[in-house]
């Protein structure tokens, strides 16, 4: 439960809008008086803006998880390949040593 704050200029009005260029929460009366939509102001309802940000964050989180899964698979592949290379190096070293012992 979040408590809705009131506008400091219009004390009977709740802050239900956000003006992005100003980075300020404003009330409906402010959208009519000081923050009319235009080149300098873009008031948007907080609830709609919050839902939009939530959707964007969910998309970014989903993409991040997909990338993390891909990185984990790549790490596992490299780890397996490193084990194979290490085993092959040891085998080749042993063969070289055996060859020199036969000389």
């Amino acid at each position: 439960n979040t408590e809705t704050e009131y506008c400091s200029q219009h004390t009977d009005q709740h802050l239900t809008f956000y003006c992005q260029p100003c980075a300020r929460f404003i009330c409906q009366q402010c959208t009519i008086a000081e923050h009319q939509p235009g080149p300098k102001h873009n008031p948007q309802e907080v609830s709609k803006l919050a839902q939009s940000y939530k959707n964007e964050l969910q998309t970014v989180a989903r993409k991040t998880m997909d990338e993390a899964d891909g990185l984990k698979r790549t790490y596992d592949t490299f780890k397996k390949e490193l084990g194979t290379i290490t085993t092959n190096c040891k085998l080749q070293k042993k063969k070289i040593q055996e060859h020199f012992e036969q000389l």
Side-chain angles (χ1 to χ4, degrees):
N1 290 332
T2 57
E3 194 175 305
T4 305
E5 293 187 31
Y6 287 91
C7 180
S8 60
Q9 289 182 288
H10 310 102
T11 55
D12 63 331
Q13 297 283 312
H14 290 285
L15 299 174
T16 55
F17 288 83
Y18 184 74
C19 184
Q20 289 180 317
C22 299
R24 288 186 53 201
F25 288 98
I26 57 175
C27 71
Q28 186 172 9
Q29 190 65 33
C30 285
T31 67
I32 298 167
E34 303 90 25
H35 296 267
Q36 293 175 347
K40 293 184 180 181
H41 301 288
N42 183 21
Q44 303 207 6
E45 287 184 54
V46 170
S47 60
K48 290 180 182 176
L49 198 58
Q51 185 61 47
S52 173
Y53 284 143
K54 179 181 177 182
N55 292 342
E56 284 181 44
L57 285 172
Q58 287 175 333
T59 299
V60 169
R62 194 170 29 256
K63 286 180 181 178
T64 301
M65 293 303 293
D66 290 345
E67 288 293 323
D69 290 343
L71 288 171
K72 172 82 168 86
R73 287 190 300 274
T74 300
Y75 170 78
D76 291 343
T77 300
F78 277 118
K79 188 175 176 182
K80 181 179 175 184
E81 290 299 319
L82 180 60
T84 301
I85 291 169
T86 302
T87 301
N88 287 341
C89 284
K90 288 178 183 178
L91 182 62
Q92 291 303 320
K93 182 179 177 181
K94 184 178 177 183
K95 285 181 180 180
I96 291 169
Q97 287 173 338
E98 288 172 358
H99 178 73
F100 275 106
E101 288 174 3
Q102 292 175 359
L103 294 178

